[in-house]
Amino acid sequence: MCFKELEESFKDHCGIFGIYCPDGKLDVAKITYFGLYALQHRGQESSGIAVNDSGNIIYHKDNGLVNEVFNEVVLNHLKGYSAIGHVRYSTTGKSDRENAQPLVIKYRKGHMALAHNGNLVNAHIIREKLEQEGAIFQTTIDSEVIASLISRNRIKSENIEEAILKTMDEIKGAYSLLILTPNKLIAVRDPYGLRPLVMGKINNSICFASETCALDTIGAEYIRDVEPGEIISVTKSGIKSEKYNNNTKHLCVFEFIYFARADSYLEGISVYEIRKRLGKQLCKESYVDCDIVIGVPDSGTTAAIGFAEEAGIPFSEGFIKNRYIGRTFIKPEQTQREIAVKIKLNVLKNNVAGKRVVLIDDSIVRGTTSRKIIKMLRDAGALEVHLRISSPPVLFPCYYGIDTPDRKELIAANYSTEEIARILGADSLEYLSLNGLNEVFDGKIYQFCTACFSGDYVTEIPGNFNKYILEEGV
């Protein structure tokens, strides 16, 4: 089997941020801008902000990074007392401008803006049914299916919260939502809590974000995580919470391993500390006698520090990262991706030349970038390169907002560990075990989704899901 030169590692999901300022004293658009800036690592294709201006929803969105889409002129136009924002990487739907969020729609009982982080597994089934009934869709994203269902259910509901509960009966998969109406800001998390969502407070304003790092950036106080299946409505009258039935915690474990920023807290747990513990546990399972330990920036660095401490081997910087480009897989065109891989990292030759190196990374998906990085170390004079991965082998695709739609693209699903080491050019390769991952989480791994390692999905996956993804152009 020959693997294509596809981008390495997972594609990110999205990041969402929202704020409700009842007295209108805060510049909600600018605060949302800075909140999205802190979440830029979660999506780098498009960004957008919608603001409630005295009952009217105005918005601006486009393809590009947050600082490319927004400037002072645009932000000064977005005035109001509540706002939601979104940064996106496409996992369902093409990276076209019309797929940028928030989605703003008008319907019989009013209008709303919606920002979505996650992926539905039955969106194609619902969309086909709605289209047969005459519904018209303007985008190719599953978020519009959610918006369409809420607007339809609202017609026969006493309020929008009831419409959301009815919609939750129909949709399956991962979703953290922020919904802006003429008089409310509503936060929603799916019954499994697959995607993160936290609540904070700044002055007398309530805000929501995908990660606590966004709260820190704007100077907000963390209150708590939005619970799985919870609907929180914020109005001038206060905060109201209600729960969907049958809720269980299954936050995506890769949020800790890779996606979230190291300075964030998820479910009250430090991402940095978990990554350090992953490195320590990895060393306990797969120690190798070497001269230095280095990490692949940035997500492999913290695990490398933990590995080095446990092993008693010096931690050293092996690479200098170009901070002015995004993650390699963000670039949609193959030629752009290849250039990005070459300029993203540069080896510190004096640190690795003549050394036996332990190289720590968070995961191997397709292996293309890992192979290039190991070659860079060899070319710089490394005597040995032993690759250690701070997560178990990725054997199964994710259907909840990470773009790994086909097992044929997953190198660990098709080759043995020894074969992968040869393919990548490493002297040895070891992964963290599932038992070891459980140890890191104090025996509570059952509270997280580990489907990409185990194949145990928290929802039923429709048989034609892969076909739908391919047709949508991901």
Side-chain angles (χ1 to χ4, degrees):
M1 182 181 297
C2 179
F3 280 84
K4 297 178 182 178
E5 285 292 311
L6 296 173
E7 68 270 35
E8 172 64 357
S9 199
F10 288 123
K11 291 181 179 177
D12 251 321
H13 353 289
C14 304
I16 57 177
F17 181 91
I19 183 169
Y20 189 99
C21 178
D23 57 18
K25 292 182 178 180
L26 296 178
D27 190 331
V28 294
K30 286 189 177 178
I31 289 176
T32 302
Y33 169 87
F34 290 117
L36 293 180
Y37 213 108
L39 298 171
Q40 187 74 86
H41 59 286
R42 298 186 70 87
Q44 301 179 12
E45 280 194 357
S46 66
S47 54
I49 296 174
V51 173
N52 180 358
D53 179 20
S54 302
N56 297 314
I57 296 176
I58 55 176
Y59 65 96
H60 180 79
K61 59 183 179 178
D62 206 342
N63 285 344
L65 302 174
V66 175
N67 66 335
E68 295 171 340
V69 173
F70 295 97
N71 54 39
E72 288 285 347
V73 174
V74 172
L75 291 171
N76 287 335
H77 177 67
L78 298 172
K79 295 300 182 182
Y81 63 86
S82 60
I84 61 173
H86 188 273
V87 289
R88 178 176 188 265
Y89 187 85
S90 60
T91 56
T92 300
K94 299 177 183 178
S95 57
D96 296 333
R97 184 177 183 275
E98 62 264 24
N99 287 337
Q101 296 187 41
L103 296 178
V104 180
I105 66 168
K106 295 183 179 180
Y107 59 102
R108 182 175 172 183
K109 291 228 176 174
H111 55 291
M112 67 176 174
L114 180 144
H116 171 211
N117 170 211
N119 211 55
L120 304 185
V121 298
N122 65 337
H124 57 301
I125 298 171
I126 298 172
R127 179 172 176 142
E128 183 177 348
K129 178 177 178 290
L130 292 175
E131 286 177 333
Q132 288 174 351
E133 294 174 358
I136 298 173
F137 289 89
Q138 303 296 324
T139 75
T140 59
I141 56 177
D142 55 358
S143 310
E144 191 177 10
V145 172
I146 299 174
S148 180
L149 285 175
I150 293 174
S151 64
R152 287 189 169 218
N153 288 328
R154 178 68 182 91
I155 295 172
K156 296 182 180 180
S157 302
E158 290 188 8
N159 51 51
I160 191 168
E161 289 86 355
E162 183 182 330
I164 292 169
L165 284 169
K166 290 178 180 177
T167 300
M168 293 171 76
D169 281 333
E170 300 178 74
I171 58 177
K172 308 297 179 186
Y175 52 93
S176 284
L177 307 173
L178 291 177
I179 300 169
L180 190 65
T181 75
N183 58 6
K184 295 178 180 180
L185 172 62
I186 303 171
V188 185
R189 198 170 175 203
D190 72 70
Y192 299 100
L194 284 159
R195 295 286 157 251
L197 192 59
V198 298
M199 180 168 62
K201 183 177 182 180
I202 177 171
N203 298 335
N204 65 335
S205 301
I206 296 296
C207 50
F208 298 93
S210 293
E211 296 180 34
T212 58
C213 65
L215 303 182
D216 295 337
T217 297
I218 65 167
E221 175 190 356
Y222 166 78
I223 298 175
R224 65 177 178 86
D225 286 55
V226 178
E227 291 295 319
E230 187 175 19
I231 302 172
I232 300 177
S233 301
V234 186
T235 67
K236 290 185 177 181
S237 301
I239 303 173
K240 184 180 74 171
S241 171
E242 54 188 299
K243 284 281 195 72
Y244 184 80
N245 294 328
N246 303 319
N247 307 312
T248 57
K249 282 188 177 182
H250 286 289
L251 175 66
C252 171
V253 75
F254 248 98
E255 291 285 352
F256 287 97
I257 295 169
Y258 175 65
F259 289 124
R261 249 174 53 170
D263 55 333
S264 286
Y265 285 74
L266 301 174
E267 307 292 348
I269 305 170
S270 166
V271 174
Y272 180 89
E273 289 302 322
I274 287 295
R275 288 182 185 168
K276 194 171 179 181
R277 290 180 64 183
L278 288 170
K280 287 179 175 289
Q281 183 65 32
L282 180 62
C283 179
K284 292 175 183 177
E285 296 182 0
S286 58
Y287 171 85
V288 59
D289 184 23
C290 279
D291 301 310
I292 59 170
V293 179
I294 65 175
V296 178
D298 285 311
S299 52
T301 301
T302 309
I305 293 171
F307 189 103
E309 287 185 3
E310 185 68 25
I313 298 172
F315 168 81
S316 180
E317 283 190 284
F319 303 94
I320 294 298
K321 183 177 180 180
N322 185 338
R323 303 293 175 182
Y324 297 94
I325 61 171
R327 294 178 176 179
T328 56
F329 58 78
I330 295 302
K331 305 300 180 184
E333 296 180 11
Q334 179 61 32
T335 54
Q336 292 176 317
R337 282 198 297 267
E338 290 175 349
I339 293 172
V341 169
K342 292 176 183 177
I343 69 171
K344 184 177 180 180
L345 296 175
N346 194 35
V347 180
L348 286 164
K349 295 181 181 179
N350 288 344
N351 286 6
V352 304
K355 304 284 181 61
R356 299 169 299 162
V357 175
V358 181
L359 176 65
I360 310 294
D361 205 354
D362 58 86
S363 61
I364 306 175
V365 180
R366 299 173 178 93
T368 53
T369 299
S370 300
R371 184 168 62 248
K372 292 172 183 176
I373 287 175
I374 291 170
K375 184 178 185 301
M376 289 167 63
L377 291 171
R378 300 279 195 199
D379 292 344
L383 296 180
E384 298 175 10
V385 180
H386 298 271
L387 183 58
R388 297 293 182 267
I389 304 300
S390 61
S391 66
V394 178
L395 301 173
F396 301 91
C398 175
Y399 300 106
Y400 303 124
I402 308 171
D403 185 26
T404 55
D406 198 322
R407 287 196 76 188
K408 293 194 296 290
E409 295 181 12
L410 302 176
I411 194 169
N414 296 276
Y415 295 97
S416 69
T417 299
E418 293 75 16
E419 288 172 328
I420 297 170
R422 287 197 295 272
I423 292 169
L424 301 185
D427 290 280
S428 68
L429 166 66
E430 296 291 344
Y431 295 88
L432 183 69
S433 68
L434 263 174
N435 286 337
L437 188 64
N438 190 36
E439 286 288 324
V440 169
F441 285 98
D442 298 321
K444 297 179 180 178
I445 197 64
Y446 59 87
Q447 294 184 357
F448 301 92
C449 178
T450 59
C452 55
F453 307 136
S454 64
D456 296 327
Y457 298 101
V458 299
T459 67
E460 182 180 353
I461 308 299
N464 61 344
F465 186 83
N466 281 359
K467 178 177 181 292
Y468 168 72
I469 289 293
L470 292 173
E471 290 176 347
E472 286 300 308
V474 172

